Amino acid sequence: MGTFLKNLSTSVLAEILENAFQWFVVVDEHSNILYINEEYCHFLEVKRDDAIGKPVAEIIENTKMHEVIKSGIADIASPHYIKGTYMLANRVPLVVEGKIVGAFGSVIFRDMSDWKKLSSHVRTTMERIQLNMEDNSYKEYHLGDIKGTSSAVRKIKETIEIIAPSDIPVLIEGESGTGKEIFAHSIHQLSERSNEPFVKVNCAEVPPEMLEEELFGKLDLATGKFSRGRYKQADKGTLFIDEISALPLTLQAKLLRTLQDGAVFTMQAEKEEQVNVRILASSNISLANLVEEKKFREDLFYRIQAITLRIPPLRDRMEDLDELLNYFLQKFVVRAGRRKIVLATKTREILQSYHWPGNVRELQNVLQAAVYLAENDVIVPSALPIQVKKRNALSFPTNGKLEDILIEVEKRVIQDLLENQSNKALIAKQLGISRSTLYEKIKKYNF
């Protein structure tokens, strides 16, 4: 390293320092500025000669260089609020022969909006890379992965077995967390395209300004290179358009044209390319309602909804809960490396009385966390999130005699308090009854 530096003239080193980073500063162990590049000084509206030697806090507002020197720990990609906007900065301690002699700071993004755009671009690019690594083969879910024996689930499974071999578009509607993607996978796996790509695009996750390129690709006029959109990646296979309700109206028109013509028109290109793709789409809100509100094209809606699968929320198929509980519990027990974990009776009762607004996905998350919080291989109510333990005030029966309804309400109120409070004197005080009366009721309800 020493020889390398000797071969560089002072002017070359200065040129490197000025241009290696957009803005950067070097301070000594006392947080005084040793070097700051001209671009940074221009932004800060200070002369470099005036900044050199000054405490960095006098020149750069909200600096944390002194904290990095004190801790010796690098602060990487940290938001820095300066001159009315957030930037992204790196701060690294400089260590020579085991001693901190100063710190180096650089602004890596001058505008957080630039960072957000790049972050979205990196994420979607990584998705494409992962898609290519897997050779577009998605074989994670099959019909057997759809758990439940309720009449609603059985009917959907039967419908899938009938429609899967065709190339008819299918619309899958259901609340978030109901497992719409698993149903889409199942259709693909039972189709004649099962050995071809299953490609997914989530219209709600990709920024609207990037969605057209994501779906249909783009020609880079400068290099002449094509980026293959998801539609082309799915050629001969299945394209699953998740949350199609978030697709902008302009792209809805292009998608409709692509469906009708069987050809993709790539952005910036002058010709279309024939593709053979089966479309599966999903939405967590009613597309029919969006059509009425003029937020979704009626012609596209009728094109994709010839067969519509409506996935019921978990609260409407609670007869499937025990099977789902046992399946996910076993899955997460194995994943956690445990031999056996069981649900306490009261825990199971709480799970059965909960309304599950997040559906099957919420159930999975709750059980996964509960497995790690299990005490002596038993999941007790305290391992459940507060929102699950808290009973819905309207979850008691409203049919029958008033006397029976009031008894049920009393029973559930006392049960809830006992599950969250061990001090019975406090419970009695909260209810406005004596301890002896509380004990009588506990005995009455076998708590």
Side-chain angles (χ1 to χ4, degrees):
M1 182 68 176
T3 303
F4 170 73
L5 291 176
K6 288 178 182 178
N7 292 331
L8 294 176
S9 66
T10 302
S11 60
V12 171
L13 285 173
E15 189 68 18
I16 292 173
L17 288 174
E18 285 301 306
N19 296 285
F21 299 91
Q22 290 182 337
W23 299 338
F24 78 95
V25 63
V26 181
V27 301
D28 62 19
E29 67 271 27
H30 304 298
S31 299
N32 295 322
I33 296 176
L34 294 175
Y35 192 95
I36 183 169
N37 70 335
E38 193 64 48
E39 282 288 328
Y40 207 175
C41 289
H42 180 72
F43 168 74
L44 295 170
E45 298 179 334
V46 297
K47 292 182 179 180
R48 180 150 57 179
D49 290 343
D50 294 337
I52 300 295
K54 294 284 182 64
V56 67
E58 292 184 12
I59 305 299
I60 304 173
E61 65 178 301
N62 300 316
T63 182
K64 295 183 180 178
M65 298 290 280
H66 58 289
E67 296 178 9
V68 170
I69 294 172
K70 183 177 180 181
S71 68
I73 300 173
D75 189 20
I76 303 298
S78 175
H80 185 173
Y81 189 75
I82 181 170
K83 295 187 74 171
T85 186
Y86 276 101
M87 302 177 182
L88 215 56
N90 286 342
R91 306 177 185 95
V92 181
L94 300 176
V95 181
V96 177
E97 296 180 352
K99 181 182 177 182
I100 297 175
V101 297
F104 170 85
S106 63
V107 173
I108 54 178
F109 278 97
R110 293 182 289 186
D111 189 331
M112 289 297 286
S113 63
D114 289 341
W115 161 245
K116 290 176 182 177
K117 290 177 182 177
L118 180 64
S119 178
S120 297
H121 178 68
V122 169
R123 176 176 53 77
T124 52
T125 300
M126 290 303 296
E127 286 179 358
R128 290 196 196 101
I129 292 172
Q130 184 66 23
L131 200 59
N132 292 332
M133 287 174 62
E134 296 175 357
D135 194 26
N136 289 340
S137 298
Y138 287 79
K139 297 183 179 179
E140 297 178 17
Y141 305 116
H142 299 263
L143 198 63
D145 293 313
I146 301 173
K147 303 302 176 183
T149 56
S150 61
S151 59
V153 171
R154 286 202 311 270
K155 185 176 180 180
I156 292 172
K157 286 184 176 182
E158 291 169 359
T159 303
I160 288 175
E161 289 178 328
I162 294 171
I163 65 173
S166 71
D167 279 342
I168 302 173
V170 180
L171 174 62
I172 306 171
E173 290 190 340
E175 295 179 6
S176 294
T178 49
K180 296 184 290 295
E181 185 172 349
I182 297 179
F183 289 89
H185 274 285
S186 301
I187 294 171
H188 174 73
Q189 295 300 336
L190 288 175
S191 74
E192 295 180 359
R193 299 172 181 260
S194 59
N195 293 323
E196 301 295 340
F198 177 93
V199 180
K200 171 189 172 184
V201 59
N202 189 314
C203 299
E205 291 181 355
V206 181
E209 66 272 14
M210 297 178 65
L211 197 49
E212 183 173 3
E213 179 182 351
E214 187 71 15
L215 263 173
F216 302 110
K218 182 179 181 180
L219 170 63
D220 188 330
L221 296 176
T223 64
K225 293 182 179 180
F226 280 94
S227 63
R228 295 173 68 239
R230 296 299 175 99
Y231 211 109
K232 287 184 181 178
Q233 292 173 11
D235 192 23
K236 298 184 177 64
T238 302
L239 176 63
F240 175 45
I241 306 177
D242 197 10
E243 304 304 348
I244 194 172
S245 53
L247 192 66
L249 286 168
T250 53
L251 290 186
Q252 289 178 27
K254 187 167 183 176
L255 175 60
L256 177 63
R257 188 166 61 251
T258 303
L259 285 170
Q260 291 172 337
D261 299 342
V264 171
F265 186 85
T266 302
M267 292 173 63
Q268 306 292 346
E270 296 181 356
K271 63 179 182 178
E272 294 182 331
E273 182 178 343
Q274 293 295 312
V275 287
N276 178 6
V277 171
R278 183 188 192 172
I279 297 294
L280 305 178
S282 79
S283 177
N284 60 5
I285 56 179
S286 170
L287 289 189
N289 291 343
L290 292 182
V291 169
E292 291 183 4
E293 297 169 5
K294 307 298 182 184
K295 295 179 180 179
F296 198 89
R297 290 183 63 104
E298 186 175 14
D299 45 7
L300 177 59
F301 172 66
Y302 288 121
R303 180 83 185 193
I304 65 173
Q305 62 83 52
I307 296 176
T308 301
L309 300 180
R310 291 186 172 84
I311 314 303
L314 182 54
R315 62 182 173 275
D316 289 347
R317 58 180 186 107
M318 289 298 285
E319 60 265 46
D320 292 330
L321 184 65
D322 276 338
E323 182 181 347
L324 290 167
L325 283 174
N326 296 334
Y327 171 73
F328 289 128
L329 184 60
Q330 179 61 27
K331 175 182 176 180
F332 295 131
V333 166
V334 172
R335 185 177 295 178
R338 306 283 288 270
R339 284 199 313 164
K340 183 180 180 182
I341 294 179
V342 297
L343 292 167
T345 301
K346 286 186 178 180
T347 305
R348 189 176 288 270
E349 290 175 356
I350 292 173
L351 295 174
Q352 290 170 335
S353 65
Y354 185 55
H355 60 291
W356 299 108
N359 295 295
V360 178
R361 183 187 297 128
E362 183 183 12
L363 175 62
Q364 290 186 72
N365 294 337
V366 167
L367 283 179
Q368 187 172 15
V371 163
Y372 287 95
L373 296 173
E375 300 176 4
N376 299 319
D377 296 336
V378 178
I379 297 176
V380 295
S382 60
L384 301 177
I386 294 175
Q387 76 271 14
V388 176
K389 289 185 290 187
K390 186 178 179 181
R391 304 289 181 88
N392 189 325
L394 299 177
S395 63
F396 53 81
T398 55
N399 295 323
K401 295 181 179 179
L402 179 61
E403 181 182 2
D404 295 331
I405 293 174
L406 293 176
I407 290 174
E408 182 64 24
V409 172
E410 179 182 76
K411 177 181 176 181
R412 295 203 179 180
V413 168
I414 295 174
Q415 184 178 16
D416 282 345
L417 290 172
L418 289 171
E419 288 172 355
N420 293 282
Q421 173 61 263
S422 59
N423 190 322
K424 295 182 176 58
L426 289 177
I427 294 175
K429 183 178 180 180
Q430 182 176 340
L431 293 175
I433 60 177
S434 65
R435 274 188 288 178
S436 59
T437 300
L438 175 62
Y439 280 113
E440 289 176 4
K441 294 183 182 296
I442 291 173
K443 183 177 180 180
K444 173 184 177 182
Y445 297 125
N446 293 320
F447 291 148

